Amino acid sequence: MDKIYNYLCGVAGKDNVSLEEDMSRHVTFRAGGKAKYFVQPENSLQLSEILRYLKNNSVKYYIIGNGSNLLVKDEGFDGVIIKIGNKFGTIEIDTEKKQIYCGAGVMLSKIASIACEYAFTGMEFAAGIPGMVGGAIAMNAGAYGGEIKDIVDKVWLIDENCNEVCLNCSEMEFGYRTSIVQKKDYIVIAVSLNFENGDKSDILAKMNELLNARKEKQPLEYPSAGSTFKRPEGYFAGKLIMDAGLRGFSVGGAKVSEKHCGFVINAGNATASEIIELMDKVADIVYDKFGVKLEPEVKII
Ligand SMILES: Cc1cc2nc3c(=O)[nH]c(=O)nc-3n(C[C@H](O)[C@H](O)[C@H](O)COP(=O)(O)OP(=O)(O)OC[C@H]3O[C@@H](n4cnc5c(N)ncnc54)[C@H](O)[C@@H]3O)c2cc1C
């Protein structure tokens, strides 16, 4: 029997481990290959134990949250995909400190609506980002002038030695769509977020306004990973792609959205290879026309 599979089952339980897991089920692009091993640890102790074993045995691994910024190549991932999902779902509200403490597997939309319930303002910008807290911290997710770094108090992580550490916001090295998590391969397990007291109806109105703006401008009716490319300094990726005449440009089932050129969408049974080929072609054409390099925001595994 497979040694790694047996080990993972022994630590996380058989129900939380699978072989040859179809990763298109775990990414919002709804495309891509399989993970040789897939595990969802139930807590940080299991997580550290698994990480120690994988590191000691030189087994490749990759951490995922809600998969809203990810694509696994069609040939698959020959290692262990570790999902920090709803098992890391603790939520605690401290009304005196105006803080919410939550596990890395809580969806941003859920925290935003709890914050609204408690009339906590500061997170309205994130209500429509379809990621989990861990992914948002790793990516320093942001929208409409806000970024998660603006409200982070502390982050609990597993470090390179598989130990639990707690960092203050100032130690997180947040930058545009990056943080220490990506630089050092840390793993987010929980976070505490700071809020201000606000007015519940104003908070709700702001969230609805931003959600409606997304619905109007973004192709939410198709699978995608949001903005495909990072914003190049001084430009907007979507505008460059549109100006290059690439609106609706497609490779197989992968297509540049007609509604928002910054989004590559899965318009119907796209493979990961088609999505990647389209991204490469778009980047090449934009570079040839405008001399601007488009860098993917989407992580390709
Ligand atoms: C329709 C749509 C709209 C979007 N709009 C926005 C937007 O407005 N702004 C924005 O910033 N993003 C946006 N995104 C992209 C995406 O939702 C964010 O980047 C989100 O923060 C990713 O979270 P996730 O849980 O899905 O992470 P995943 O996609 O699972 O992972 C993304 C990265 O984070 C790492 N990661 C995930 N969890 C952890 C963890 N616990 N510890 C360490 N590393 C981890 C992964 O290794 C990977 O490198 C959008 C996506 C879609 C599909």
Side-chain angles (χ1 to χ4, degrees):
M1 212 24 207
D2 189 309
K3 208 173 126 197
I4 297 173
Y5 176 76
N6 279 344
Y7 174 81
L8 295 173
C9 290
V11 176
K14 213 167 181 236
D15 290 349
N16 294 323
V17 184
S18 55
L19 283 170
E20 298 300 331
E21 179 74 13
D22 178 0
M23 289 306 296
S24 70
R25 294 178 48 223
H26 298 279
V27 302
T28 54
F29 249 133
R30 298 282 172 254
K34 293 181 175 169
K36 183 157 186 200
Y37 307 96
F38 181 83
V39 59
Q40 301 196 64
E42 294 200 329
N43 52 51
S44 56
L45 284 177
Q46 287 185 2
L47 176 62
S48 328
E49 201 177 326
I50 291 171
L51 290 167
R52 268 200 193 97
Y53 172 86
L54 299 178
K55 286 190 182 194
N56 288 341
N57 290 283
S58 306
V59 179
K60 274 192 301 185
Y61 64 86
Y62 196 89
I63 305 293
I64 70 164
N66 198 44
S68 62
N69 214 355
L70 280 186
L71 190 59
V72 177
K73 288 185 178 176
D74 294 323
E75 48 271 42
F77 182 72
D78 186 24
V80 184
I81 298 254
I82 304 175
K83 178 160 174 152
I84 311 293
N86 56 13
K87 315 264 178 197
F88 289 73
T90 312
I91 301 176
E92 286 166 22
I93 295 124
D94 186 330
T95 47
E96 259 173 43
K97 284 193 187 162
K98 287 172 272 169
Q99 286 188 336
I100 299 183
Y101 169 89
C102 51
V106 180
M107 291 293 287
L108 293 176
S109 53
K110 183 160 183 189
I111 309 167
S113 64
I114 291 173
C116 177
E117 215 176 285
Y118 282 80
F120 284 178
T121 183
M123 204 177 166
E124 294 85 337
F125 74 90
I129 302 177
M132 290 174 172
V133 170
I137 296 287
M139 299 292 301
N140 186 22
Y144 302 108
E147 283 178 323
I148 196 83
K149 76 164 174 45
D150 304 336
I151 55 168
V152 166
D153 169 45
K154 292 190 179 74
V155 184
W156 285 263
L157 310 119
I158 307 275
D159 70 8
E160 62 272 51
N161 301 315
C162 308
N163 294 322
E164 209 173 307
V165 292
C166 177
L167 298 184
N168 290 316
C169 182
S170 58
E171 298 169 297
M172 285 297 297
E173 298 180 22
F174 283 120
Y176 173 63
R177 299 296 169 265
T178 188
S179 69
I180 197 168
V181 174
Q182 292 192 49
K183 294 175 203 161
K184 295 206 173 166
D185 283 338
Y186 284 0
I187 301 169
V188 183
I189 51 178
V191 60
S192 56
L193 302 171
N194 288 322
F195 294 87
E196 298 287 333
N197 283 328
D199 178 84
K200 198 169 163 177
S201 56
D202 289 349
I203 297 168
L204 189 61
K206 186 73 195 168
M207 285 193 334
N208 285 336
E209 179 197 322
L210 299 181
L211 287 171
N212 286 333
R214 277 181 191 271
K215 258 188 225 150
E216 201 182 301
K217 296 196 179 106
Q218 301 181 354
L220 302 183
E221 57 281 20
Y222 289 100
S224 79
S227 298
T228 315
F229 298 99
K230 291 185 184 168
R231 182 166 19 96
E233 225 172 306
Y235 300 91
F236 288 101
K239 169 104 174 53
L240 288 169
I241 296 167
M242 185 176 74
D243 292 348
L246 294 171
R247 187 192 286 275
F249 180 60
S250 62
V251 172
K255 188 173 177 183
V256 172
S257 162
E258 284 164 18
K259 199 165 169 186
H260 186 319
C261 293
F263 280 53
V264 166
I265 56 169
N266 180 350
N269 300 321
T271 61
S273 310
E274 288 167 352
I275 294 170
I276 295 166
E277 190 184 331
L278 178 65
M279 286 170 60
D280 289 346
K281 283 190 171 158
V282 165
D284 286 350
I285 295 170
V286 165
Y287 188 72
D288 286 349
K289 290 220 162 158
F290 305 115
V292 181
K293 275 203 171 124
L294 290 181
E295 257 189 69
E297 183 170 313
V298 178
K299 308 280 176 198
I300 296 167
I301 311 173

